[in-house]
Amino acid sequence: MSTDNFEITPIGFISTPFKQKFGIPRQSGIAGSAIGKIQIAKPFNDINAFRGLEKFSHIWLTFCFHLHRDKAWSPLIRPPRLGGNEKIGVFASRSTFRPNNLGQSVVSLKKIERVKNDIWLTVGGIDLLDQTPIVDIKPYIPYADSIPYAEAGYASKPPKVCDKTEFSELAQKQLISISKKYPDIATLIHQLLSQDPRPAYKDKEDDREYTMSLYDFDVRWQWNLKFNFVVSITDAVKR
Amino acid sequence: MSTDNFEITPIGFISTPFKQKFGIPRQSGIAGSAIGKIQIAKPFNDINAFRGLEKFSHIWLTFCFHLHRDKAWSPLIRPPRLGGNEKIGVFASRSTFRPNNLGQSVVSLKKIERVKNDIWLTVGGIDLLDQTPIVDIKPYIPYADSIPYAEAGYASKPPKVCDKTEFSELAQKQLISISKKYPDIATLIHQLLSQDPRPAYKDKEDDREYTMSLYDFDVRWQWNLKFNFVVSITDAVKR
């Protein structure tokens, strides 16, 4: 171990609708209705440390890909955007299988709350697994961070959007009761499906039924060439 | 110590012109002529890990504020942009005095070279101290990272620019020989001075002579209300 190594302590943990990797947006900002709540951990739960942050519409989260923490990194990975066939370097990607397991996402800042000794930040447009450890929060500074004209190789455009989602009669009924607790769930499902979360190596004509977990629910859907068809939204099977 | 803690290993170190904090641009991208070279450390010096990165014009560096590694963080800091008087929260800033000591900068990617077993990345527009440990490299993805319309509180505009630099006769002579080794040094000095690196609490009418170190040189200059006047560029006094 090098003496240049150093230790990281999470400053908090984020609660998100995403209980498993499948279905998570491939970058932040894609699903605006994907809301997360960060609970700040001791000793970082000092409201002074957040003074002025409310003036920023967007913030950077630095986080740890915690499910990969004990797994080896690999020099080459297969990004889903390249059809799952072509290999590129791990540092040319934002793959989770990377040295140091650090990720970064820009998210919208909705709310900062103090509840007794706890501090909660509500953020939108997230792409993080539930209970991801947050290791830093920084303001987004457009004059430094925003480079609209940057060239971005294979990731120059957002994932292809299918902008139509239909819900079965069953799914519509289920939505009525679920919406009481999660008012934006229909919009969220639409946003997640529109980025086409199916595995990269699927067939074009693919009538398979996929299941994605969201909050405590299993969302089942099919792709039928013209739109995404949500079959059902049922209580999650215990995993 | 929490079991959620984890250890970070630098993937490389960057050589930069900035031998001390004073004068370093306050964000990346401000001084395009500020060039750095990252030497990738073992075992990350596998050229495969960088395959495809050359297609990106800009990359994110995640790094460690190594000079602050053993120093305490503070909930409140005084950002130079607010005149050094007003305090804001450390998470509402990009201050170096922060928990976990992690920084992030977007820089332009100039070159990736393999020399025997070494890998070198040349990057521009840097704001990093010489020998900063780099802990991650990721491609810049405009559709996810670029939010030109984001609101940014006190940091909504770049630092005020003074777009005129004059060199004394002595400094001009010195530039001739220095330029043989560092062809862009005059441009770099101009870019660094134009962001006004003087301490935030200086007087408006300030005829003090300041010294900034750059490569192996001490650059002495004065602010004379209308432009920056470079007095001399001499071999650095040993510090």
Side-chain angles (χ1 to χ4, degrees), chain B residues 77-143:
Chain B
I77 59 105
R78 299 175 194 268
R81 291 293 293 279
L82 292 175
N85 299 312
E86 205 174 324
K87 285 183 179 175
I88 63 164
V90 65
F91 295 124
S93 83
R94 305 207 188 178
S95 164
T96 53
F97 293 96
R98 60 196 312 112
N100 291 321
N101 300 308
L102 290 171
Q104 72 182 55
S105 287
V106 55
V107 297
S108 66
L109 176 61
K110 306 268 187 200
K111 207 162 29 176
I112 304 174
E113 290 165 293
R114 179 154 67 162
V115 184
K116 292 185 182 169
N117 283 323
D118 291 328
I119 292 173
W120 293 89
L121 270 62
T122 307
V123 292
I126 54 161
D127 59 349
L128 300 183
L129 201 62
D130 190 39
Q131 296 312 310
T132 293
I134 305 299
V135 304
D136 205 0
I137 290 171
K138 294 189 183 82
Y140 185 89
I141 300 182
Y143 81 76

Coordinates of all heavy atoms in Angstrom, one line a residue, chain B residues 77-143:
Chain B
I77 N -16.6 28.6 5.5 CA -15.4 29.2 4.9 C -15.7 30.5 4.3 O -16.8 30.9 4.2 CB -14.8 28.2 3.8 CG1 -15.9 28.0 2.7 CG2 -14.4 26.9 4.4 CD1 -15.6 28.7 1.5
R78 N -14.6 31.3 4.0 CA -14.8 32.6 3.4 C -14.3 32.5 2.0 O -13.0 32.6 1.7 CB -13.9 33.6 4.2 CG -14.2 33.8 5.6 CD -13.2 34.8 6.2 NE -13.2 34.8 7.7 CZ -13.9 35.6 8.4 NH1 -14.7 36.5 7.8 NH2 -13.9 35.5 9.7
P79 N -15.2 32.5 1.0 CA -14.7 32.4 -0.4 C -14.1 33.7 -0.9 O -14.7 34.7 -0.5 CB -16.0 32.0 -1.2 CG -17.1 32.5 -0.4 CD -16.6 32.4 1.1
P80 N -13.0 33.7 -1.6 CA -12.4 34.9 -2.1 C -13.4 35.7 -2.9 O -13.3 37.0 -2.9 CB -11.2 34.4 -3.0 CG -11.4 32.9 -3.1 CD -12.3 32.5 -2.0
R81 N -14.3 35.1 -3.6 CA -15.3 35.7 -4.5 C -16.2 36.7 -3.7 O -16.8 37.6 -4.3 CB -16.1 34.7 -5.3 CG -15.4 34.0 -6.3 CD -14.9 34.9 -7.4 NE -16.0 35.4 -8.2 CZ -16.6 34.8 -9.1 NH1 -16.2 33.6 -9.5 NH2 -17.6 35.3 -9.8
L82 N -16.4 36.5 -2.4 CA -17.3 37.3 -1.6 C -16.5 38.3 -0.8 O -16.9 38.8 0.2 CB -18.2 36.5 -0.7 CG -19.2 35.6 -1.5 CD1 -20.0 34.7 -0.6 CD2 -20.1 36.5 -2.3
G83 N -15.3 38.7 -1.3 CA -14.5 39.7 -0.7 C -13.8 39.3 0.6 O -13.2 40.1 1.3
G84 N -13.9 38.0 0.9 CA -13.2 37.5 2.1 C -13.9 37.9 3.4 O -13.3 37.6 4.5
N85 N -15.1 38.4 3.3 CA -15.8 38.8 4.6 C -16.9 37.8 4.9 O -17.1 37.4 6.0 CB -16.3 40.2 4.5 CG -15.2 41.2 4.3 OD1 -14.2 41.2 5.0 ND2 -15.4 42.1 3.3
E86 N -17.7 37.5 3.9 CA -18.9 36.7 4.1 C -18.5 35.3 4.3 O -17.7 34.7 3.5 CB -19.8 36.9 2.9 CG -21.3 36.7 3.3 CD -22.2 37.0 2.1 OE1 -21.9 38.0 1.4 OE2 -23.2 36.3 1.9
K87 N -19.2 34.6 5.2 CA -19.0 33.1 5.4 C -20.0 32.3 4.7 O -21.2 32.6 4.8 CB -18.9 32.8 6.8 CG -17.7 33.2 7.6 CD -17.7 32.7 9.0 CE -16.5 33.1 9.7 NZ -16.6 32.8 11.2
I88 N -19.6 31.3 4.0 CA -20.6 30.3 3.5 C -20.2 28.9 3.9 O -19.1 28.7 4.4 CB -20.8 30.4 2.0 CG1 -19.5 30.0 1.3 CG2 -21.2 31.8 1.5 CD1 -19.7 29.7 -0.2
G89 N -21.2 28.0 3.7 CA -20.9 26.6 4.1 C -19.9 25.9 3.2 O -19.8 26.2 2.0
V90 N -19.1 25.0 3.7 CA -18.1 24.4 2.9 C -18.7 23.6 1.8 O -18.1 23.5 0.7 CB -17.2 23.5 3.8 CG1 -18.0 22.3 4.4 CG2 -16.0 23.0 3.1
F91 N -19.9 23.0 1.9 CA -20.5 22.3 0.8 C -21.2 23.2 -0.2 O -21.6 22.8 -1.3 CB -21.5 21.3 1.4 CG -20.9 20.2 2.2 CD1 -21.3 20.0 3.5 CD2 -19.9 19.4 1.7 CE1 -20.7 19.0 4.3 CE2 -19.3 18.4 2.4 CZ -19.7 18.2 3.7
A92 N -21.3 24.5 0.1 CA -21.8 25.5 -0.9 C -20.6 26.1 -1.6 O -20.7 27.1 -2.3 CB -22.6 26.6 -0.2
S93 N -19.4 25.6 -1.4 CA -18.2 26.1 -2.0 C -17.4 24.9 -2.6 O -17.7 23.7 -2.4 CB -17.3 26.8 -0.9 OG -16.6 25.8 -0.2
R94 N -16.3 25.3 -3.2 CA -15.3 24.2 -3.6 C -14.0 24.4 -2.9 O -13.0 24.0 -3.4 CB -15.1 24.3 -5.1 CG -16.4 24.3 -5.9 CD -16.1 23.7 -7.3 NE -17.3 23.8 -8.1 CZ -17.2 23.4 -9.4 NH1 -16.1 22.9 -9.9 NH2 -18.3 23.5 -10.1
S95 N -14.1 24.9 -1.7 CA -13.0 25.1 -0.8 C -12.2 23.9 -0.7 O -12.7 22.8 -0.7 CB -13.5 25.5 0.5 OG -12.5 25.4 1.5
T96 N -10.9 24.1 -0.5 CA -10.0 22.9 -0.3 C -10.1 22.4 1.1 O -9.7 21.2 1.3 CB -8.5 23.4 -0.6 OG1 -8.2 24.5 0.3 CG2 -8.3 23.8 -2.0
F97 N -10.6 23.2 2.0 CA -10.7 22.7 3.4 C -12.0 21.9 3.6 O -12.9 22.4 4.3 CB -10.7 23.9 4.4 CG -9.5 24.6 4.4 CD1 -9.3 25.8 3.7 CD2 -8.4 24.2 5.3 CE1 -8.1 26.5 3.7 CE2 -7.2 24.9 5.3 CZ -7.0 26.0 4.6
R98 N -12.1 20.7 3.0 CA -13.4 20.0 3.0 C -13.2 18.6 3.5 O -12.1 18.0 3.4 CB -14.1 20.1 1.6 CG -13.2 19.4 0.5 CD -13.7 19.8 -0.9 NE -15.2 19.7 -1.0 CZ -16.0 20.7 -1.2 NH1 -15.6 21.9 -1.2 NH2 -17.3 20.5 -1.2
P99 N -14.3 18.0 4.0 CA -14.2 16.6 4.4 C -13.8 15.8 3.1 O -14.2 16.1 2.0 CB -15.7 16.3 4.8 CG -16.3 17.6 5.1 CD -15.6 18.6 4.3
N100 N -13.0 14.8 3.3 CA -12.5 13.9 2.3 C -11.5 14.5 1.3 O -11.0 13.7 0.5 CB -13.7 13.2 1.5 CG -14.5 12.3 2.5 OD1 -13.9 11.6 3.3 ND2 -15.8 12.3 2.4
N101 N -11.4 15.8 1.3 CA -10.3 16.5 0.5 C -10.4 16.1 -1.0 O -9.4 16.1 -1.7 CB -8.9 16.1 1.0 CG -8.7 16.5 2.4 OD1 -9.0 17.7 2.7 ND2 -8.4 15.6 3.3
L102 N -11.6 15.8 -1.5 CA -11.7 15.5 -2.9 C -12.0 16.8 -3.8 O -12.9 17.6 -3.4 CB -12.8 14.5 -3.2 CG -12.5 13.1 -2.7 CD1 -13.8 12.2 -2.8 CD2 -11.4 12.5 -3.5
G103 N -11.4 16.9 -4.9 CA -11.7 18.0 -5.8 C -12.0 17.4 -7.2 O -11.7 16.3 -7.5
Q104 N -12.7 18.2 -8.0 CA -12.9 17.8 -9.4 C -12.8 19.0 -10.3 O -13.2 20.1 -10.0 CB -14.3 17.1 -9.5 CG -15.5 18.1 -9.4 CD -16.8 17.4 -9.5 OE1 -17.1 16.5 -8.8 NE2 -17.7 17.8 -10.5
S105 N -12.2 18.7 -11.5 CA -12.0 19.8 -12.5 C -12.2 19.2 -13.9 O -11.8 18.1 -14.1 CB -10.6 20.3 -12.5 OG -10.3 21.0 -11.3
V106 N -12.9 19.9 -14.7 CA -12.9 19.5 -16.1 C -11.8 20.2 -16.9 O -11.6 21.4 -16.7 CB -14.3 19.8 -16.8 CG1 -14.7 21.2 -16.6 CG2 -14.3 19.4 -18.2
V107 N -11.0 19.5 -17.6 CA -9.8 20.0 -18.3 C -9.9 19.5 -19.8 O -10.5 18.5 -20.1 CB -8.5 19.5 -17.6 CG1 -8.4 20.1 -16.2 CG2 -8.4 18.0 -17.7
S108 N -9.1 20.2 -20.6 CA -9.1 19.7 -22.0 C -8.0 18.7 -22.2 O -7.0 18.7 -21.5 CB -8.8 20.9 -23.0 OG -7.6 21.4 -22.8
L109 N -8.3 17.7 -23.0 CA -7.4 16.6 -23.2 C -6.6 16.8 -24.5 O -7.1 16.9 -25.5 CB -8.2 15.3 -23.3 CG -7.3 14.0 -23.6 CD1 -6.3 13.7 -22.5 CD2 -8.2 12.8 -23.8
K110 N -5.3 17.0 -24.3 CA -4.4 17.4 -25.4 C -3.8 16.2 -26.1 O -3.6 16.1 -27.3 CB -3.3 18.3 -25.0 CG -3.8 19.5 -24.2 CD -4.0 20.7 -25.2 CE -4.3 22.0 -24.4 NZ -4.9 23.0 -25.3
K111 N -3.4 15.2 -25.3 CA -2.5 14.1 -25.8 C -2.5 13.0 -24.8 O -2.5 13.2 -23.6 CB -1.1 14.7 -26.0 CG -0.3 14.0 -27.0 CD 0.9 14.7 -27.5 CE 1.7 15.6 -26.6 NZ 2.9 16.2 -27.2
I112 N -2.5 11.8 -25.4 CA -2.2 10.5 -24.6 C -1.0 9.9 -25.2 O -1.0 9.6 -26.4 CB -3.4 9.6 -24.6 CG1 -4.7 10.3 -24.2 CG2 -3.2 8.3 -23.8 CD1 -6.0 9.4 -24.3
E113 N 0.0 9.7 -24.4 CA 1.3 9.1 -25.0 C 1.7 7.8 -24.1 O 1.6 7.9 -22.9 CB 2.4 10.1 -24.9 CG 2.3 11.3 -25.8 CD 3.3 12.3 -25.3 OE1 3.1 12.9 -24.2 OE2 4.3 12.6 -26.1
R114 N 2.2 6.9 -24.9 CA 2.9 5.8 -24.2 C 4.4 5.9 -24.4 O 4.8 5.9 -25.6 CB 2.3 4.4 -24.6 CG 3.0 3.3 -23.9 CD 2.2 2.0 -23.9 NE 1.9 1.5 -25.2 CZ 1.5 0.2 -25.4 NH1 1.3 -0.5 -24.3 NH2 1.3 -0.2 -26.6
V115 N 5.2 5.9 -23.4 CA 6.6 6.0 -23.5 C 7.2 4.8 -22.7 O 7.1 4.9 -21.5 CB 7.2 7.3 -23.0 CG1 8.7 7.4 -23.3 CG2 6.5 8.5 -23.7
K116 N 7.6 3.7 -23.4 CA 8.0 2.5 -22.7 C 6.8 2.0 -21.8 O 5.7 1.9 -22.3 CB 9.3 2.7 -22.0 CG 10.5 2.9 -22.9 CD 11.8 2.9 -22.2 CE 12.9 3.2 -23.1 NZ 14.2 3.5 -22.4
N117 N 7.1 1.9 -20.6 CA 6.0 1.4 -19.7 C 5.2 2.5 -19.1 O 4.3 2.3 -18.2 CB 6.5 0.5 -18.6 CG 6.9 -0.8 -19.1 OD1 6.2 -1.4 -19.9 ND2 8.0 -1.4 -18.6
D118 N 5.5 3.8 -19.4 CA 4.8 4.9 -18.8 C 3.7 5.4 -19.7 O 3.8 5.4 -20.9 CB 5.8 6.0 -18.5 CG 6.8 5.7 -17.4 OD1 6.4 4.9 -16.5 OD2 7.9 6.1 -17.5
I119 N 2.6 5.9 -19.1 CA 1.6 6.6 -19.8 C 1.5 8.0 -19.3 O 1.5 8.2 -18.1 CB 0.2 5.8 -19.6 CG1 0.3 4.5 -20.3 CG2 -0.9 6.6 -20.2 CD1 -0.9 3.6 -20.1
W120 N 1.4 8.9 -20.3 CA 1.3 10.4 -19.9 C 0.1 11.0 -20.6 O -0.1 10.8 -21.8 CB 2.6 11.1 -20.4 CG 3.9 10.7 -19.8 CD1 4.7 9.7 -20.1 CD2 4.4 11.4 -18.6 NE1 5.8 9.7 -19.3 CE2 5.7 10.7 -18.3 CE3 4.1 12.4 -17.8 CZ2 6.5 11.1 -17.3 CZ3 4.9 12.8 -16.8 CH2 6.1 12.1 -16.5
L121 N -0.6 11.7 -19.9 CA -1.8 12.5 -20.4 C -1.4 14.0 -20.3 O -1.1 14.4 -19.2 CB -3.1 12.2 -19.6 CG -4.0 11.1 -20.1 CD1 -3.2 9.8 -20.0 CD2 -5.2 11.0 -19.3
T122 N -1.5 14.7 -21.4 CA -1.3 16.1 -21.4 C -2.7 16.8 -21.4 O -3.5 16.5 -22.2 CB -0.5 16.6 -22.6 OG1 0.7 15.8 -22.7 CG2 -0.1 18.1 -22.5
V123 N -2.9 17.7 -20.4 CA -4.2 18.3 -20.2 C -4.0 19.8 -20.1 O -3.0 20.3 -19.6 CB -5.0 17.8 -19.0 CG1 -5.3 16.3 -19.2 CG2 -4.1 17.9 -17.7
G124 N -5.1 20.6 -20.5 CA -5.0 22.1 -20.5 C -6.1 22.7 -19.7 O -7.1 22.1 -19.3
G125 N -5.9 24.0 -19.3 CA -6.9 24.7 -18.5 C -6.9 24.2 -17.1 O -8.0 24.3 -16.4
I126 N -5.8 23.8 -16.6 CA -5.8 23.2 -15.2 C -5.7 24.2 -14.1 O -5.3 25.4 -14.3 CB -4.6 22.2 -15.1 CG1 -3.3 22.9 -15.4 CG2 -4.8 21.0 -15.9 CD1 -2.1 22.3 -14.9
D127 N -6.2 23.8 -13.0 CA -6.1 24.7 -11.8 C -5.6 23.9 -10.6 O -6.1 24.0 -9.5 CB -7.6 25.2 -11.4 CG -8.6 24.1 -11.2 OD1 -8.2 22.9 -11.5 OD2 -9.7 24.4 -10.8
L128 N -4.6 23.0 -10.9 CA -4.1 22.1 -9.8 C -2.6 22.4 -9.5 O -1.8 22.7 -10.3 CB -4.2 20.7 -10.3 CG -5.5 20.2 -10.7 CD1 -5.5 18.7 -11.1 CD2 -6.5 20.3 -9.5
L129 N -2.4 22.3 -8.2 CA -1.0 22.4 -7.7 C -0.1 21.3 -8.2 O -0.6 20.2 -8.5 CB -1.1 22.3 -6.1 CG -0.1 22.8 -5.3 CD1 0.1 24.3 -5.4 CD2 -0.4 22.5 -3.8
D130 N 1.1 21.6 -8.4 CA 2.1 20.6 -8.9 C 2.1 19.4 -7.9 O 2.0 19.5 -6.7 CB 3.5 21.2 -8.9 CG 4.5 20.4 -9.5 OD1 4.2 19.7 -10.6 OD2 5.7 20.3 -9.0
Q131 N 2.1 18.2 -8.5 CA 2.2 16.9 -7.8 C 0.9 16.5 -7.1 O 0.9 15.7 -6.2 CB 3.4 16.9 -6.9 CG 4.7 16.9 -7.6 CD 4.8 16.0 -8.8 OE1 4.5 14.8 -8.6 NE2 5.2 16.5 -9.9
T132 N -0.2 17.1 -7.5 CA -1.5 16.7 -7.0 C -1.8 15.2 -7.4 O -1.7 14.9 -8.6 CB -2.6 17.6 -7.6 OG1 -2.4 18.9 -7.0 CG2 -4.0 17.1 -7.2
P133 N -2.2 14.4 -6.4 CA -2.6 13.0 -6.8 C -3.9 13.0 -7.5 O -4.9 13.6 -7.0 CB -2.7 12.4 -5.4 CG -2.2 13.3 -4.4 CD -2.3 14.7 -5.0
I134 N -4.0 12.3 -8.6 CA -5.2 12.1 -9.4 C -5.8 10.8 -9.0 O -5.1 9.8 -9.0 CB -4.9 12.1 -10.9 CG1 -4.1 13.4 -11.3 CG2 -6.1 12.0 -11.8 CD1 -4.8 14.7 -11.1
V135 N -7.1 10.8 -8.7 CA -7.7 9.5 -8.2 C -8.7 9.0 -9.2 O -9.1 7.8 -9.0 CB -8.3 9.7 -6.8 CG1 -7.2 10.1 -5.8 CG2 -9.5 10.6 -6.7
D136 N -9.1 9.7 -10.2 CA -10.0 9.2 -11.2 C -10.0 10.1 -12.4 O -9.7 11.3 -12.3 CB -11.4 9.0 -10.7 CG -12.2 7.9 -11.5 OD1 -11.6 7.3 -12.4 OD2 -13.4 7.7 -11.1
I137 N -10.2 9.5 -13.6 CA -10.3 10.2 -14.8 C -11.6 9.7 -15.5 O -11.8 8.4 -15.6 CB -9.1 9.9 -15.7 CG1 -7.9 10.6 -15.2 CG2 -9.4 10.3 -17.2 CD1 -6.6 10.2 -15.8
K138 N -12.5 10.6 -15.9 CA -13.7 10.2 -16.6 C -14.0 11.1 -17.8 O -13.6 12.3 -17.8 CB -14.9 10.4 -15.6 CG -14.9 9.5 -14.4 CD -16.3 9.7 -13.7 CE -16.3 8.9 -12.4 NZ -15.7 9.5 -11.3
P139 N -14.6 10.6 -18.8 CA -14.9 11.5 -20.0 C -16.0 12.5 -19.6 O -16.8 12.3 -18.8 CB -15.5 10.5 -21.0 CG -16.0 9.3 -20.3 CD -15.1 9.2 -19.0
Y140 N -15.8 13.7 -20.2 CA -16.9 14.8 -20.1 C -18.0 14.5 -21.1 O -17.7 14.3 -22.3 CB -16.3 16.1 -20.3 CG -17.2 17.3 -20.1 CD1 -17.3 17.8 -18.8 CD2 -18.0 17.8 -21.1 CE1 -18.2 18.9 -18.6 CE2 -18.9 18.8 -20.8 CZ -19.0 19.3 -19.6 OH -19.9 20.4 -19.3
I141 N -19.2 14.4 -20.6 CA -20.3 14.1 -21.4 C -21.3 15.2 -21.4 O -22.1 15.4 -20.5 CB -21.0 12.8 -20.9 CG1 -20.0 11.6 -20.9 CG2 -22.2 12.4 -21.7 CD1 -20.5 10.3 -20.5
P142 N -21.3 16.0 -22.5 CA -22.0 17.3 -22.5 C -23.5 17.1 -22.2 O -24.1 17.9 -21.5 CB -21.8 17.9 -23.9 CG -20.6 17.2 -24.4 CD -20.5 15.9 -23.7
Y143 N -24.2 16.1 -22.7 CA -25.6 16.0 -22.5 C -26.0 15.8 -21.1 O -27.0 16.2 -20.6 CB -26.3 15.0 -23.4 CG -26.2 13.5 -23.0 CD1 -27.0 13.1 -22.0 CD2 -25.3 12.6 -23.6 CE1 -26.9 11.7 -21.5 CE2 -25.3 11.3 -23.2 CZ -26.1 10.9 -22.2 OH -26.0 9.6 -21.7

